[in-house]
Amino acid sequence: MDTKKTNIYFVGAGGIGMAALERYFLSQGCKVAGYDRTPSALTKALEDEGVAIVYDDEVSLIPDEFKNPETTLVVYTPAIPADHKGLNFFKDGGFEILKRAAVLGLITRGSKGLCFAGTHGKTTTSSMAAHILNTCEVGCNAFLGGILRNYNSNLLLSETSPYSVIEADEYDRSFHQLTPYIAVITSSDPDHLDIYGTEEAYLESFAHFTELIRPDGALVMHEGLKVKPRVAPGVKVYTYSRDHGDFHAQNIRYGNGTITFDFVACDGSVIKDIELGVPVEINIENAIASLAGCFLTGDMQAHKAAEAMASFMGPKRRFEFWLKEAGENGRAIIDDYAHHPDELKASISSVKSLYPNRKITVAFQPHLYSRTRDFAPEFAQALSLADDVILLNIYPARELPIEGVTSQIVFDDITTQSKVLIEKEELVETIKNRDFEVLLTVGAGDICNYLPQICDNVTK
């Protein structure tokens, strides 16, 4: 990457990972522009911050100052189609063009990178770690996959910290561009089979990721994963889980809407009374993973770490409350980004444990035709945990339709008696006419865009 280039153009500017890089380059005094397919709340925020974004791939819409290969670096996401006019203009013009992951790897290579990888859990764990380091006043540069509500940003900057916190994305093998100082692997359930083809290839990709850890670094893996690490000599390997491993929890307590536990580190030391700011079951393990990564830096202070966990608000769309009425019979609306069947199961189970005697209504929007095809029975099994299911049609994202693959193949196998399959445009009215007690909206598509209307109807 030519650091002398002061104009940075992003093809796929509305992606959450791209947004962190756009904000980073803005902070470095660069001019930033880009393309995305559709406007969103994130693109609006980026435009307000100074990113010039267009929503058509016509070359004429690229600002003239970004058409000079001597001064412009082009960053793109693999989700961009091969026939994209703007990207092909840059390719034909001899511009320096890099994937987002390669740019992130170059920016962070000179730092001590805490890299959080896994099929699920990486956004929350990396966000927790960034918040811990920030609260401990050592700080970090953090490139996160979700908007952290404590900072209303997915980018944290520090001019003095030696640490970078990175969400290490396995999609398109992006995390192979990183050089971790401490790598954390939260899970390795097969996903992105449109890219990898087989579970074996998916696991091999994680194994290669472990080869990239610095010789003076460490690997922290959830117990029981199928990944066979191939770390370099000198790299220390640790395990974690809720109840066992080098890092684990003990004395877990529930009560009055709180979860509190004691954190046990690999050297036997204990941080007592860790209270979760987002008190759901899955966050016990997420907290252990993030605390383990920060503990291994040697710069984590016990009392500050406990303070950070208690004040952690979580990333947007990760178990985010939109409505929480007071009283024993008060209704609740929770939104979650879960888009893999294991995530969906964990999300529904967490809501059921929070509200054990309430009716749980789940509105789920499947994400990607390929993922729906590969995991239809598992999605149906997870959704069957709910008392009432509202299933939306598939959000295609980067994909074209696959013959025979619709939400119907999930819907038919859901055993919950109360279930309905609808278009997303019917969601608000469907919920309005349903007698819900606790509503969980789930999916990685645009289901969250309907939440303001849903809440308006409930509170009228």
Side-chain angles (χ1 to χ4, degrees):
M1 182 174 71
D2 186 349
T3 55
K4 294 179 182 176
K5 290 181 176 169
T6 55
N7 296 335
I8 320 294
Y9 194 88
F10 288 82
V11 185
I16 190 69
M18 296 282 263
L21 288 179
E22 289 159 52
R23 287 167 166 150
Y24 170 80
F25 282 113
L26 283 174
S27 77
Q28 301 302 300
C30 297
K31 292 181 179 177
V32 181
Y35 155 88
D36 204 76
R37 186 172 62 176
T38 53
S40 66
L42 182 54
T43 59
K44 174 67 166 60
L46 290 167
E47 289 182 86
D48 290 344
E49 292 168 35
V51 182
I53 300 177
V54 298
Y55 300 94
D56 191 297
D57 69 346
E58 289 297 334
V59 174
S60 61
L61 296 177
I62 300 171
D64 288 342
E65 58 197 317
F66 291 86
K67 290 181 177 178
N68 183 351
E70 298 299 318
T71 58
T72 299
L73 169 70
V74 178
V75 185
Y76 76 102
T77 171
I80 295 297
D83 61 353
H84 189 277
K85 294 175 185 175
L87 188 56
N88 283 314
F89 164 79
F90 292 121
K91 287 178 179 177
D92 295 341
F95 286 74
E96 183 180 13
I97 303 174
L98 295 175
K99 286 184 180 179
R100 178 192 68 84
V103 176
L104 183 58
L106 288 166
I107 290 171
T108 58
R109 196 152 293 156
S111 66
K112 291 182 174 180
L114 279 68
C115 302
F116 290 80
T119 312
H120 33 262
K122 54 185 175 285
T123 298
T124 299
T125 51
S126 58
S127 297
M128 282 179 169
H131 186 51
I132 291 168
L133 292 175
N134 220 42
T135 304
C136 288
E137 297 175 5
V138 65
C140 63
N141 293 292
F143 298 83
L144 307 172
I147 303 297
L148 186 49
R149 280 183 271 170
N150 292 78
Y151 307 96
N152 199 33
S153 180
N154 62 336
L155 174 71
L156 274 63
L157 294 172
S158 170
E159 294 183 359
T160 57
S161 177
Y163 301 111
S164 290
V165 176
I166 303 148
E167 179 174 330
D169 188 2
E170 79 276 13
Y171 175 70
D172 198 42
R173 299 174 173 83
S174 292
F175 60 173
H176 292 172
Q177 302 287 342
L178 304 172
T179 308
Y181 171 56
I182 296 167
V184 178
I185 301 179
T186 62
S187 50
S188 60
D189 309 298
D191 195 10
H192 302 301
L193 296 184
D194 55 323
I195 299 292
Y196 288 100
T198 65
E199 179 181 4
E200 290 72 25
Y202 188 73
L203 294 172
E204 166 60 28
S205 187
F206 277 92
H208 178 61
F209 172 66
T210 69
E211 290 182 302
L212 306 175
I213 301 169
R214 290 169 32 165
D216 61 340
L219 169 65
V220 183
M221 285 181 56
H222 192 288
E223 276 198 332
L225 300 188
K226 293 182 180 179
V227 176
K228 302 268 191 293
R230 296 197 297 262
V231 298
V235 174
K236 296 181 174 68
V237 180
Y238 302 93
T239 61
Y240 82 94
S241 75
R242 181 183 183 275
D243 302 306
H244 305 99
D246 299 305
F247 298 91
H248 61 272
Q250 65 182 21
N251 192 24
I252 301 171
R253 288 147 282 161
Y254 303 83
N256 297 322
T258 65
I259 299 177
T260 308
F261 63 92
D262 299 340
F263 169 72
V264 183
C266 59
D267 63 354
S269 62
V270 178
I271 303 177
K272 289 186 174 294
D273 301 329
I274 299 285
E275 182 179 333
L276 294 176
V278 183
V280 293
E281 185 74 22
I282 193 62
N283 276 348
I284 298 174
E285 286 199 338
N286 287 335
I288 294 165
S290 59
L291 287 163
C294 293
F295 177 87
L296 292 172
T297 67
D299 282 325
M300 187 179 84
Q301 304 153 39
H303 70 288
K304 289 286 189 182
E307 179 186 319
M309 285 290 90
S311 63
F312 180 73
M313 297 168 63
K316 289 185 177 179
R317 299 223 60 216
R318 265 65 175 189
F319 221 83
E320 181 177 6
F321 277 87
W322 278 71
L323 178 71
K324 197 173 187 180
E325 292 180 340
E328 192 173 306
N329 297 316
R331 291 170 296 179
I333 297 176
I334 305 164
D335 182 48
D336 195 51
Y337 189 72
H339 54 283
H340 183 278
D342 288 340
E343 295 173 334
L344 180 61
K345 182 179 179 181
S347 188
I348 297 171
S349 297
S350 291
V351 175
K352 290 182 75 170
S353 66
L354 269 183
Y355 297 96
N357 301 313
R358 310 295 300 283
K359 182 177 81 172
I360 309 300
T361 299
V362 176
F364 176 61
Q365 182 185 44
H367 183 262
L368 297 176
Y369 294 101
S370 59
R371 185 181 285 123
T372 306
R373 174 198 62 199
D374 294 338
F375 300 110
E378 292 85 353
F379 279 123
Q381 186 179 33
L383 288 166
S384 297
L385 295 172
D387 301 304
D388 182 26
V389 177
I390 303 169
L391 184 62
L392 278 62
N393 284 324
I394 297 168
Y395 184 81
R398 57 184 177 268
E399 292 184 336
L400 294 173
I402 297 173
E403 187 175 351
V405 178
T406 70
S407 290
Q408 192 72 45
I409 64 173
V410 175
F411 185 79
D412 289 343
D413 287 340
I414 297 170
T415 58
T416 304
Q417 293 301 305
S418 178
K419 61 179 182 177
V420 63
L421 175 60
I422 63 170
E423 300 281 351
K424 63 183 181 182
E425 291 81 7
E426 302 173 82
L427 179 63
V428 176
E429 195 64 25
T430 299
I431 291 171
K432 184 178 179 181
N433 295 326
R434 252 169 161 70
D435 183 26
F436 81 86
E437 295 178 359
V438 178
L439 172 67
L440 173 66
T441 58
V442 206
D446 60 356
I447 187 171
C448 58
N449 293 347
Y450 297 91
L451 281 163
Q453 287 177 266
I454 293 167
C455 292
D456 280 348
N457 281 339
V458 170
T459 54
K460 277 179 181 175

